[in-house]
Amino acid sequence: MTVMGTARPAGRPRSERAEKAIVDATLDLIGEGTSVSELSIESVAARAGVGKTTIYRRWANKEELVGDALATLKAPLPEIEGRTVREDLIAYLDVMRQDSLTVRTRCIMNIAMSEPERHPRLYERFQRTAIEPRRAAMRAVLERGVATGELRPDLDVEMAIGMLTGTMLWYTKGAAHGLLPGGVVPADLAPRIVDEALRGFRPS
Amino acid sequence: MTVMGTARPAGRPRSERAEKAIVDATLDLIGEGTSVSELSIESVAARAGVGKTTIYRRWANKEELVGDALATLKAPLPEIEGRTVREDLIAYLDVMRQDSLTVRTRCIMNIAMSEPERHPRLYERFQRTAIEPRRAAMRAVLERGVATGELRPDLDVEMAIGMLTGTMLWYTKGAAHGLLPGGVVPADLAPRIVDEALRGFRPS
DNA sequence: ATCATACGATACGGTTGCGTTGCGAAACTC
DNA sequence: GAGTTTCGCAACGCAACCGTATCGTATGAT
């Protein structure tokens, strides 16, 4: 008899190795610039060294596979709790900058962000698991700054988030495609953005 | 004999009506959310009420067709030359906000901006004809402000552009997909962004 | 009238990917 | 060992779309 209360179903158990290979292959292909619509189950199977059957046994369609794959990238969300608001904001923005340096992260971001109308549930899910936590963390830092008097009491926190994040995104997006003078995101971009923004965020 | 120096080639001339119908159909389909990779010549032909031959006679491939189609949307770039820097910036940002309200413009922007790695020439072309002129206009306003003393002499103009534009894009992108509290871009967003940003741009 | 070209329509062979099925081997329970 | 399920693999019929070719017709110049 089985020790576990929930009896393991008879037969050969599903291979965790195969499952991981499938998810990895999916992320790899997306990371190489394949859009969701271009991504084919066959290419995933080939890349993963797996039969199509093994994929269809676990996921009903492409969208669910991609959804699960992207969900495994739960933002590590570095535990930042520095001293000043400035330092914390710089730390968060610099995570974005570093992320933008890896092609894989950039492509995945691109996919997850750029096709919301075509894959609304996918977009929503990624937003919830990856974006919103980071936004909340930044919001907490800003609200703490307002509470301590480091920032203006009437600061529009949501807009402040938008200014910081939007500016960094503008740069990373532009630099990735040769719009910036140097063609690369400057290493000191995070502190520059934060310092420029804080100039208006501080009490007058 | 022909009056014109450049003799018109013999035979039936190409139909301008067909050409316009093809370009319109292309823009319509893209505006409805079809990505460039998903867009098929056959669907364009069907939508335009035109034979595939008529398309292939003018464009060698999909990319050139899309390129020409997008190029017909040469940004009108409103002639703004208000009085204060604040008013001019608000006017420019509000153009962005209004653009984001139409589904068609939003989809086209999405396509043109989101697939640079897959269609680099397309992206570069759209960037040159549509984005860069607007950026230059905003840069001129900011530099004028620096010259008149309305803005800080040491203002990083490029970053200022990034902050203004990036913040607006952040909002329009977020609002389009239900991330914002109200789900819509506030009508007074442009002045709010500009006022928040100018707080740091002005001389201290 | 004649000639040249473009027109829309239709069909073609070729490619890609879909989602399904059948196969023999492997893995695990009882 | 018997029974069950998953494995990778190959093949299937189906659909979409590619780019080309071939129709008969339409539209112009000479």
Side-chain angles (χ1 to χ4, degrees):
Chain A
M1 59 167 57
T2 319
V3 176
M4 306 180 294
T6 61
R8 180 205 290 224
R12 176 175 174 173
R14 293 198 177 165
S15 160
E16 286 188 27
R17 243 180 103 259
E19 190 144 338
K20 187 173 186 318
I22 294 168
V23 170
D24 281 349
T26 305
L27 292 177
D28 277 352
L29 289 170
I30 291 179
E32 287 168 11
T34 314
S35 76
V36 176
S37 30
E38 285 167 347
L39 186 72
S40 71
I41 297 287
E42 306 216 327
S43 65
V44 172
R47 171 71 67 104
V50 145
K52 279 199 293 177
T53 327
T54 308
I55 298 182
Y56 280 113
R57 197 173 287 120
R58 293 152 210 260
W59 292 277
N61 52 55
K62 189 166 51 176
E63 183 142 333
E64 295 198 1
L65 166 59
V66 175
D68 279 4
L70 289 186
T72 65
L73 300 173
K74 35 172 161 273
L77 195 61
E79 272 292 335
I80 298 169
E81 195 69 22
R83 292 177 310 213
T84 66
V85 168
R86 176 176 181 274
E87 286 169 3
D88 282 2
L89 291 180
I90 290 175
Y92 280 126
L93 279 198
D94 209 51
V95 169
M96 292 179 61
R97 183 187 66 85
Q98 286 167 13
D99 276 353
S100 79
L101 295 180
T102 71
V103 180
R104 176 167 168 151
T105 308
R106 220 169 53 222
C107 286
I108 290 175
M109 279 287 287
N110 240 345
I111 295 299
M113 296 284 297
S114 75
E115 308 200 78
E117 6 256 352
R118 235 180 320 284
H119 313 283
R121 272 174 296 183
L122 187 58
Y123 176 81
E124 191 269 338
R125 180 171 174 180
F126 187 77
Q127 200 76 26
R128 197 180 56 241
T129 64
I131 307 294
E132 192 48 47
R134 301 196 176 207
R135 192 205 283 250
M138 190 172 289
R139 184 183 298 119
V141 171
L142 289 168
E143 285 175 347
R144 198 189 73 206
V146 171
T148 64
E150 204 169 345
L151 303 181
R152 278 163 35 216
D154 64 329
L155 177 68
D156 183 337
V157 172
E158 291 303 323
M159 171 159 307
I161 295 174
M163 291 189 74
L164 294 164
T165 314
T167 310
M168 181 55 87
L169 281 179
W170 172 262
Y171 266 90
T172 56
K173 182 126 193 99
H177 311 114
L179 293 180
L180 248 56
V184 288
V185 180
D188 64 339
L189 184 57
R192 281 173 51 203
I193 292 177
V194 170
D195 285 335
E196 181 65 56
L198 281 184
R199 193 186 284 262
F201 293 173
R202 291 210 178 88
S204 47
Chain B
M1 60 169 53
T2 320
V3 177
M4 304 180 294
T6 60
R8 178 207 292 225
R12 175 175 176 175
R14 293 197 178 165
S15 161
E16 287 188 24
R17 244 180 102 259
E19 189 143 340
K20 187 174 186 318
I22 294 168
V23 170
D24 281 348
T26 305
L27 292 177
D28 277 351
L29 288 170
I30 291 179
E32 288 169 11
T34 313
S35 76
V36 176
S37 30
E38 285 167 347
L39 187 72
S40 71
I41 298 288
E42 304 217 327
S43 66
V44 173
R47 172 72 67 106
V50 146
K52 279 199 292 177
T53 327
T54 308
I55 298 182
Y56 280 113
R57 196 174 287 121
R58 295 152 208 260
W59 292 278
N61 51 55
K62 189 167 52 176
E63 185 142 332
E64 295 199 1
L65 167 59
V66 175
D68 279 4
L70 289 187
T72 65
L73 301 173
K74 35 172 160 274
L77 195 61
E79 274 290 336
I80 297 172
E81 194 70 19
R83 294 175 309 211
T84 65
V85 167
R86 175 176 181 274
E87 285 169 4
D88 282 4
L89 291 180
I90 289 175
Y92 281 126
L93 279 198
D94 210 52
V95 169
M96 292 180 62
R97 182 187 66 85
Q98 285 166 14
D99 276 354
S100 80
L101 295 180
T102 71
V103 180
R104 177 166 167 152
T105 308
R106 222 170 51 223
C107 286
I108 291 174
M109 278 286 289
N110 239 345
I111 295 299
M113 297 285 297
S114 75
E115 309 199 79
E117 6 255 352
R118 236 179 319 284
H119 314 281
R121 272 173 296 182
L122 187 58
Y123 176 82
E124 192 269 338
R125 180 171 174 180
F126 188 76
Q127 200 76 26
R128 197 179 59 242
T129 64
I131 307 294
E132 192 49 46
R134 303 195 175 206
R135 192 205 284 248
M138 191 172 287
R139 183 183 298 116
V141 171
L142 289 167
E143 286 174 347
R144 199 189 72 207
V146 172
T148 64
E150 206 169 344
L151 303 181
R152 276 162 37 214
D154 64 329
L155 177 68
D156 183 337
V157 172
E158 292 302 323
M159 170 159 306
I161 296 174
M163 290 189 73
L164 294 164
T165 314
T167 310
M168 181 55 87
L169 282 180
W170 172 263
Y171 266 91
T172 56
K173 185 128 191 95
H177 311 114
L179 294 180
L180 247 55
V184 288
V185 181
D188 65 338
L189 185 57
R192 281 173 51 203
I193 292 177
V194 171
D195 283 335
E196 181 64 57
L198 281 184
R199 194 185 284 262
F201 294 171
R202 292 213 177 86
S204 47

